Amino acid sequence: LHSTDVSVEECASLDGARRARLAAALRDHDVQLTVRPSLGFFDKDLAALRTDVSAALASLESLAQELPVGLVTVGAGNVHRFLPEPCLDDQLDRLTAVLAPLAAGCRSLGLR
């Protein structure tokens, strides 16, 4: 095991001492975190979602300074390509509008 999954929000909720203990334990065991921001891609309007992406990037920046973050991952939630609404084209347009700035922000932070 060299990576374990955790939500950005869960890590951000840890107090400083607990986060420091976690960081030490992860380093001692050569484990990196696979972190996932909770983004409701289809639950909010696009402007609110973009605000959430900015907030997630700020949290990721802070966490990556303290914890060994190896990978950032997301899931689209309960919407999938076989649903009639939103149609696949609308799903892809929305995901592109949000994932592109998230990916660019992760890249600028040095996160995969």
Side-chain angles (χ1 to χ4, degrees):
L1 175 70
H2 291 283
S3 181
T4 190
D5 179 78
V6 66
S7 75
V8 169
E9 295 77 16
E10 184 176 357
C11 284
S13 72
L14 299 174
D15 65 45
R18 188 163 183 188
R19 198 176 307 162
R21 285 193 311 273
L22 174 61
L26 291 168
R27 280 192 301 275
D28 289 348
H29 296 285
D30 190 28
V31 175
Q32 292 186 327
L33 295 176
T34 297
V35 295
R36 60 187 148 65
S38 297
L39 300 168
F41 289 106
F42 300 97
D43 300 332
K44 299 179 178 182
D45 68 45
L46 203 50
L49 190 51
R50 285 187 174 130
T51 299
D52 289 352
V53 167
S54 295
L57 287 169
S59 291
L60 286 166
E61 181 176 22
S62 174
L63 291 175
Q65 292 173 4
E66 298 178 60
L67 300 170
V69 175
L71 184 65
V72 178
T73 168
V74 296
N78 61 353
V79 174
H80 55 80
R81 67 178 185 239
F82 298 114
L83 290 176
E85 289 298 322
C87 71
L88 182 58
D89 285 343
D90 290 344
Q91 290 178 41
L92 293 174
D93 288 345
R94 187 172 186 87
L95 290 172
T96 299
V98 176
L99 289 177
L102 180 63
C106 286
R107 184 181 315 115
S108 73
L109 295 172
L111 300 173
R112 295 179 295 145

